[in-house]
Amino acid sequence: MKKLVYLLAILLAFSSCSEYQKALKSEDIKTKFEVGTQMFDAGKWSKANRIFAQIVPNYRGKPQAEKLMYMYARSFYEMRSYIEAGYQLGRFENAYPNSEKVEEIAFLAAKSYYQVSPVYSKEQQETVEALEKLQLFVNKYPNSELLPEANKLIKELDYKLERKAFEIAKQYNRVAYFESSDYEAAIKAFDNFLADFPGTSFKEQAMFYRLDSAYKLGINSIEAKKEARLNTAINYYDSFKKFFPNSELLKDADKMNEEMTTAVQQFNTKS
């Protein structure tokens, strides 16, 4: 019995393959449409896509065009050809704004951009584009059942940009260890980061490294600039301690503050 089932499965697969090959070579667009649809429904995305590509131009303006373009665009997504998927899904959305499939397609088009977003350490142009597309979807379909997933993807992409900006600012601090003039660039980078991402999960570290950069800049400054820079650094210390009174980094921050306060007192004594 098992051998019979196995044999039937082989015969069906062979028959399906044969039908597919015939459809590829056929000049009958109706046959291609039917077989392509069968391949699509069976989850054979690559085969469906190959057939659909042959007949897309023939169905422009016809009643079946909407269904064909839906399957064609969707097949790119299922094949993980996300760049082409984003383009084709976007075309469907623009061409058939009243389609019952348009919400699903709009989401997949935006998600296609999400899929090509690189790791945080690389250039983030695709991440920014994905955020724009997903935000447009959220604004356009505020009651969509896909909204929770869209918001989840937005949160992931936001974090990626946040991490990227934090690491860039942190890099300024590291470079400044060898080139003290870059401490000013580090301070500015952390100021910008904290302004751009007020709710960041990196706030504690960002405020500490900003303090660290300001401390090192002040301590190593020429006398003419030292007092003002130290006072700025002390203000950063006060802010850090206010926001994170129980931070594990506070011990290091306290040492900086003690040294800076002593140095500023020496200026007051001289005056």
Side-chain angles (χ1 to χ4, degrees):
M1 184 64 181
K2 289 183 179 179
K3 290 183 178 180
L4 179 60
V5 172
Y6 182 67
L7 182 60
L8 287 172
I10 293 176
L11 289 173
L12 285 172
F14 181 79
S15 175
S16 175
C17 183
S18 177
E19 185 180 17
Y20 168 71
Q21 292 298 334
K22 287 179 181 178
L24 276 179
K25 297 174 183 178
S26 174
E27 295 185 5
D28 184 354
I29 62 172
K30 183 179 179 182
T31 297
K32 289 181 183 290
F33 186 98
E34 291 174 352
V35 174
T37 301
Q38 290 173 16
M39 297 293 107
F40 181 88
D41 291 339
K44 297 177 180 179
W45 315 114
S46 181
K47 289 183 176 182
N49 180 276
R50 188 177 175 189
I51 289 182
F52 293 150
Q54 294 181 340
I55 60 175
V56 162
N58 302 100
Y59 276 90
R60 285 176 185 154
K62 294 184 178 181
Q64 303 95 326
E66 181 180 331
K67 180 179 180 180
L68 174 62
M69 292 308 299
Y70 166 79
M71 293 188 293
Y72 183 54
R74 178 75 185 271
S75 66
F76 279 109
Y77 184 87
E78 300 297 345
M79 291 162 59
R80 300 184 181 183
S81 298
Y82 295 121
I83 294 176
E84 184 66 21
Y87 172 72
Q88 294 294 346
L89 291 164
R91 283 186 65 193
F92 180 92
E93 183 183 3
N94 292 329
Y96 304 101
N98 299 317
S99 170
E100 63 177 18
K101 298 288 189 180
V102 71
E103 182 180 321
E104 171 197 346
I105 288 295
F107 175 72
L108 289 179
K111 194 173 180 181
S112 295
Y113 286 88
Y114 162 85
Q115 297 285 13
V116 296
S117 171
V119 295
Y120 77 88
S121 57
K122 295 185 177 180
E123 181 60 42
Q124 293 298 304
Q125 181 180 343
E126 291 87 353
T127 302
V128 172
E129 290 178 350
L131 274 170
E132 291 174 351
K133 298 291 183 180
L134 284 164
Q135 194 58 58
L136 282 173
F137 175 82
V138 168
N139 294 342
K140 192 171 183 179
Y141 303 101
N143 301 313
S144 173
E145 293 181 357
L146 295 166
L147 204 62
E149 185 178 356
N151 285 327
K152 177 177 176 290
L153 298 181
I154 288 172
K155 188 175 181 180
E156 287 182 26
L157 294 171
D158 275 334
Y159 177 82
K160 197 176 288 187
L161 293 182
E162 183 182 312
R163 178 76 184 275
K164 174 77 172 180
F166 172 73
E167 293 296 340
I168 289 174
K170 192 175 177 181
Q171 186 63 26
Y172 278 115
N173 177 271
R174 290 171 180 161
V175 171
Y177 180 82
F178 303 100
E179 184 58 55
S180 60
S181 62
D182 282 341
Y183 281 124
E184 288 183 276
I187 294 166
K188 184 175 178 60
F190 282 117
D191 278 337
N192 291 339
F193 174 78
L194 291 165
D196 292 340
F197 303 97
T200 176
S201 58
F202 296 105
K203 187 170 184 176
E204 180 180 351
Q205 294 180 66
M207 292 186 73
F208 176 80
Y209 282 115
R210 180 179 65 175
L211 164 61
D212 180 69
S213 298
Y215 155 76
K216 289 171 180 173
L217 177 65
I219 288 295
N220 296 299
S221 290
I222 60 174
E223 290 298 305
K225 296 181 178 181
K226 193 167 189 175
E227 183 178 12
R229 286 176 171 176
L230 287 173
N231 281 324
T232 297
I234 289 171
N235 286 335
Y236 286 147
Y237 165 80
D238 291 338
S239 295
F240 177 76
K241 187 174 182 179
K242 176 183 176 182
F243 280 100
F244 302 101
N246 301 312
S247 173
E248 293 181 358
L249 298 168
L250 191 58
K251 185 176 180 180
D252 290 334
D254 286 340
K255 288 181 181 178
M256 294 181 212
N257 183 58
E258 184 178 341
E259 185 179 351
M260 292 187 296
T261 301
T262 299
V264 170
Q265 286 173 348
Q266 290 175 354
F267 276 101
N268 293 335
T269 300
K270 290 178 183 178
S271 60

